[in-house]
Every structure is written in structure tokens, then in C-alpha cells.
């Protein structure tokens, strides 16, 4: 057993650490600051620490010569990180020094404490760094709310000021970069984003989308060897001017996107085939899924009201009339030689929309109103399973779905159940009603074009059945399909060497939309071949463009380049 005295010798030494020595450990800098006294004000929950500096000399900020000659002393008040619920204030006694260098224009200067606080700051460096992190991650308002929870209490404007003033982090000289546009305002004003494709960091955000701006930026970095871009001639020109040494690479995503658009244009003219394939798909799906005998009719529910249907049709007619007007306006302007950007601005629509209209050879056809199936979609499998089990009462099904989290009206459920009943009566499987590929009017050319470029292994069963039906019935569509799959294989397997063979074959195929796409590749052939050969792509750039959109919206559209740029470039 230990003698009682030994324990008592150690214990008091532990508890009786002088409070000043303890507090001093929490100072921002223990080598140059000395804690002289402290004071706690419980009424306002504030701790004041009186601190002096131990630096023997002052270092002139201009000539960087040390001097010991003190001019005067004064007190700086700095906010520091809080201790629990207590705000902490440093009363820092610092000196002014004479600069003894006769060649120096500065005669008197204040003592600098670069590890504690910036020269004129009202808060310590470590508090400022945390506030900056809040501002970078969340912006002004949300950042101030989070910081308030941490007892730091900055105003939103303070955070924004810190973000704007944040220094650009040093980055290694880039070698492989990606460039893409982003929208200040869609269809109106665009900017440019530049990303290092090796470490995926944002290199810069330019406020405009122009060849000159990109060229000027690129000339700063002669190290750049590869630039990945979209298919715009504007960036091609900018890169050619600013980085003539760099290999230009067209991003594969944009190539697949352009192919899909060509496919969509081709399918627009195949409306009848698209519609016919839908009925065949319904039959095929019924064979696969198995039909259901017509359930007993539940009487007492009325059909969807006439007035509602009429309103829907009127709205659809209005939409269709607007499409036709836009189609005619765009084709007239195009015939007059108006550039796409000007048309987009005049008509208040985006450039891709203008191009989509230009690819059409006839105005869009009217479409029957879309069924409001979106809210039901997550529950369709359940509804079909219950239908197969024999439950046909829409009110009962609605109650069951509410228990599963469905929050919409019983009428939507009842409308879908009516469709299931009609399908059963016609001898079709209920699964046909959950599929966009079996609608009587057929899926849209756009929807089919997306399925078309999607790898077979990733297609849904109904989508694959639909493509099978479509290709079996129409040799021209089958030929277009084979050609586009061959192009996708070039993209996926990076066989840039085989591109020209594919282009010749497609140009001679007689399928106008695809031939136009193939001939379009000719204009940018070296960059496209590089895109189909080299491993680089702009995925990281697209990711940052999405982040940029998020940041823009977080600031409710008020963030200018001064805020977006630092927030994008610095991972908080
Ligand atoms: Zn000096």
C-alpha cells in the first residue's frame, strides 16, 4: 500500500496549475504572446484576455530591417474563438517602432504579428479562417447562420467580404485541362470554366464565353499540352490562338450527345413507325408478363370529367401553336443567315433548342396530353402486383399506398386503375400501362433516341422490347441503328483510327440526319479523332459546372464572379 503522503504530493500539483498558465495554452500563439491578466464578465458571457507581445524587435514591413527602437504602445482588440458559451476578446498591447533605415520611406510602423492576426484585422487569424470556410462552403446568409451556431456571430456581409478577399490557392502549372461554358443566365449570357483534368481542381472561372478571353487565359500557361472542349468553333479558335502547342480533344460526351440529337431528328420523320412499334411492344410485353383475366367491373365511379379533358386539350393546342410559330420563325431567320446565338437571344430560348428546331425538316406534330403519371411512377409496380392479386378497388389501393407514403389524390390512382381495366379488357398485361413505350401514340422520338444511345445492358426490359420491335419492322430504322451503334462502339472502345471509314459509310447510307452528323465531324476531324483516341474527357468539368449552378442558386442569383470564382476554386 502506498503511503498517504505520496498521493498528496502529486495530486495538488495537478489541480493547482495556475489559471494563467492554463489559459495561456489556448492563446493563438504561445511563443510570441504572454497572458498578463484575464477578466470574466458573466453578464455578457465574455472573457477578456490581456496579452502582450514578447518580440524583441519590430520588422519594418517596407524594407524588412529589424529595429529595437520603440516609438509608442497601443492596444488592439481582437475577437478570438469562443470558449464554450463565452465570447473571447484579446486586449493586445503592441508597439510602434521607428524604422532606422535612412533609405526607407517609412519612419514609424506598427508591430506585426503575422501568426496571430492580419495587420488591421479585428479578429484573430484562426477565427477568420473558420469564418472563411463557412463563407466558402455556404455563402453569406447560410454561412452566417452556421457560424452563429458556433458562437462566432459574423454578419452575412462580413463572410462575403472574407470570401471576396480570399487569396487564390497556389496551383501547379496545368498540363491537361478541360474548358466548357456555363450559363450566367440560360440563353442570355454565358461564362467559361477551366478545370485541371489531372487533379480535377477548378483553375479559373471567366465571366465571358469568347475566343479572346480563352486565348488570353491560355497564354499564361505554356505548359498546357492537352485541352478538352466541346464542339464549338469558338473555343477551338481560342485554344488555337492561346495554346497553339496543345492537342485539342473533343469531349466524348458531346459527341454522343450530338449523335443522339441526329438520331432524334431522324426519328422525328418516323412517327408512324414509332407508333406502330408501341402496339407491338404492348403485345410482346403481354406475352412476357402474362395477361390477366378481366376483373369484375366496379360500378359507381365516374370517369374523369369532360371539362378537365377539354381544358387539357385546349392547353395542348396552345402549346402546339407556339411550337409551330417558333419553328417557322427560326427557319425564316436561318434562311436570312441569322446566327444561332442571335436567334436564341431574340426568341428567348436556348441555343440547343434553336439547333433542335433547325434539325427538323417539318414543324413538331401535336401530341396528346401527357398523362400525369409522375407521382404514381414509384408505386406502379405495387399497383400492378395488387391488380394481379385481384384487388381492383381504387379507394382500397389508395389507402394502401398512403400507408406506403403516397401523398397525392385518390383520383390519380383511380384514373390509373381505369387504364388497367381497359388494358385488361383489351387483353393486355397491366405492365403495359406502366411503360412509356406502349402508349397508344407511341413514345416520343426524343425518348427513343435516349434509349438508342444507352448501352443494351443498361436498358429496361420494356425499352429493349420496343427497340426490337422497331428494328424488326423497319429496315431503314435498323440500318440507322446499326450505324449509330457502330459509332458508339468507336467512342466506347476509343477506336479513333476507324472514324473516317465510319464517316464514309454513313455519308453514303442515304439516311439524311446521320449523314449530316457524319459530314459535320469532318470540320473538326483532328480534335474528334483525338477525343476517340486519348483517355481525357470533360466529366470533371461537367461536375464543376453542376457545382457552379448549385452555388449560383444558393446565392439566389445574386452571386457575381467575385463570389463564384473563390467559392469554386477553393474546396472549403
Ligand atoms: Zn523600413
Amino acid at each position: 500500500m502506498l503511503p498517504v503522503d505520496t498521493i498528496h504530493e502529486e495530486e495538488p500539483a495537478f489541480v493547482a496549475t495556475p489559471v494563467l498558465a492554463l489559459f495561456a495554452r489556448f492563446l493563438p500563439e504561445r511563443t510570441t504572446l504572454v497572458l498578463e491578466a484575464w477578466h470574466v464578465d458573466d453578464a455578457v458571457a465574455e472573457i477578456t484576455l490581456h496579452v502582450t507581445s514578447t518580440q524583441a524587435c519590430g520588422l519594418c514591413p517596407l524594407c524588412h530591417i529589424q529595429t529595437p527602437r520603440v516609438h509608442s504602445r497601443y492596444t488592439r482588440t481582437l475577437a478570438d474563438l469562443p470558449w464554450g458559451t463565452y465570447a473571447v476578446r484579446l486586449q493586445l498591447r503592441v508597439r510602434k517602432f521607428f524604422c532606422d533605415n535612412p533609405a526607407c520611406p517609412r519612419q514609424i510602423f506598427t508591430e506585426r504579428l503575422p501568426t496571430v492576426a492580419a495587420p488591421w484585422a479585428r479578429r484573430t487569424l484562426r477565427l477568420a479562417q473558420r469564418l472563411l470556410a463557412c463563407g466558402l462552403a455556404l455563402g453569406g446568409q447560410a454561412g452566417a447562420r452556421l457560424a452563429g451556431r458556433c458562437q462566432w456571430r459574423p454578419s452575412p456581409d462580413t463572410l462575403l467580404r472574407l470570401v471576396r478577399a480570399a487569396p487564390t490557392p497556389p496551383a501547379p502549372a496545368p498540363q491537361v485541362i478541360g474548358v466548357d461554358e456555363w450559363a450566367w443566365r440560360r440563353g442570355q449570357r454565358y461564362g467559361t470554366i477551366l478545370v485541371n483534368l489531372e487533379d480535377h481542381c477548378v483553375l479559373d472561372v471567366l465571366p465571358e464565353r469568347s475566343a479572346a478571353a480563352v486565348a488570353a487565359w491560355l497564354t499564361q500557361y505554356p505548359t498546357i499540352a492537352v485541352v478538352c472542349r466541346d464542339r464549338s468553333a469558338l473555343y477551338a479558335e481560342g485554344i488555337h490562338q492561346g495554346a497553339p502547342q496543345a492537342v485539342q480533344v473533343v469531349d466524348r460526351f458531346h459527341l454522343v450527345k450530338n449523335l443522339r440529337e441526329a438520331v432524334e431528328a431522324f426519328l422525328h420523320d418516323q412517327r408512324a413507325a414509332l407508333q406502330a412499334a408501341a402496339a407491338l411492344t404492348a403485345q410482346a410485353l403481354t406475352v412476357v408478363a402474362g395477361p390477366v383475366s378481366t376483373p369484375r367491373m366496379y360500378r359507381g365511379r365516374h370517369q374523369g370529367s369532360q371539362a378537365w379533358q377539354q381544358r387539357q386539350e385546349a392547353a395542348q393546342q396552345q402549346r402546339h401553336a407556339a411550337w409551330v410559330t417558333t419553328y417557322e420563325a427560326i427557319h425564316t431567320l436561318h434562311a436570312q443567315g441569322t446566327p444561332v446565338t442571335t436567334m436564341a437571344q431574340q426568341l428567348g430560348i436556348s441555343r440547343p433548342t434553336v439547333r433542335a428546331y433547325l434539325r427538323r425538316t417539318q414543324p413538331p406534330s401535336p401530341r396528346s396530353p401527357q398523362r400525369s403519371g409522375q407521382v404514381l411512377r414509384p408505386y406502379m409496380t405495387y399497383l400492378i402486383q395488387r391488380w394481379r392479386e385481384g384487388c381492383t378497388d381504387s379507394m382500397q389501393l389508395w389507402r394502401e399506398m398512403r400507408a406506403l407514403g403516397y401523398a397525392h389524390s385518390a383520383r390519380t390512382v383511380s384514373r390509373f386503375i381505369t387504364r388497367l381495366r381497359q388494358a385488361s379488357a383489351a387483353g393486355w398485361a397491366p405492365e403495359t400501362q406502366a411503360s412509356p413505350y406502349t402508349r397508344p401514340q407511341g413514345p416520343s422520338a426524343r425518348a427513343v433516341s435516349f434509349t438508342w444511345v444507352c448501352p443494351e445492358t443498361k436498358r429496361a426490359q420494356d425499352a429493349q422490347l420496343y427497340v426490337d420491335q422497331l428494328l424488326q419492322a423497319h429496315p431503314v430504322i435498323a440500318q440507322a441503328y446499326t450505324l449509330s451503334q457502330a459509332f458508339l462502339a468507336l467512342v466506347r472502345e476509343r477506336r479513333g483510327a476507324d472514324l473516317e471509314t465510319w464517316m464514309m459509310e454513313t455519308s453514303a447510307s442515304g439516311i439524311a440526319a446521320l449523314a449530316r452528323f457524319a459530314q459535320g465531324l469532318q470540320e473538326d476531324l483532328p480534335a474528334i479523332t483525338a477525343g476517340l483516341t486519348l483517355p481525357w474527357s470533360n466529366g470533371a468539368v461537367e461536375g464543376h459546372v453542376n457545382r457552379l449552378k448549385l452555388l449560383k442558386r444558393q446565392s439566389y442569383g445574386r452571386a457575381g464572379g467575385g463570389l463564384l470564382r473563390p467559392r469554386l476554386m477553393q474546396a472549403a
Side-chain angles (χ1 to χ4, degrees), residues 261-271 324 327-328 330-332 334 354-365 511-514 516:
E261 288 162 351
V263 169
E264 185 184 342
F266 164 69
L267 292 174
H268 271 310
D269 298 335
Q270 310 286 334
R271 210 43 266 167
V324 174
Y327 172 86
E328 278 160 5
I330 286 176
H331 279 261
T332 313
H334 182 63
V354 174
R355 291 203 196 95
Y357 272 104
L358 282 176
R359 279 192 300 271
R360 285 173 172 275
T361 50
Q362 54 197 31
S365 51
I511 298 168
L514 288 183
R516 263 202 309 280

Side-chain angles (χ1 to χ4, degrees), residues 131-194:
L131 293 179
L132 174 63
C134 282
L136 285 172
L138 296 168
Q141 292 288 350
R145 277 199 295 276
L146 175 66
R149 289 282 174 91
C150 304
Q151 310 269 340
W152 300 333
R153 304 189 191 114
S155 73
D157 284 339
T158 303
L159 290 191
L160 295 186
R161 212 165 39 240
L162 285 170
V163 170
R164 285 201 186 91
T168 308
Q175 297 187 348
V176 183
I177 68 160
V179 54
D180 206 352
E181 62 175 31
W182 57 275
W184 282 101
R185 200 167 159 202
R186 231 180 143 184
Q188 307 276 319
R189 208 178 133 217
Y190 288 85
T192 299
I193 184 168
L194 298 127

Side-chain angles (χ1 to χ4, degrees), residues 60-65 99 101 104 106 109:
C60 173
L62 238 61
C63 65
H64 303 288
I65 283 178
C99 181
N101 178 2
C104 182
R106 182 72 63 88
F109 64 90

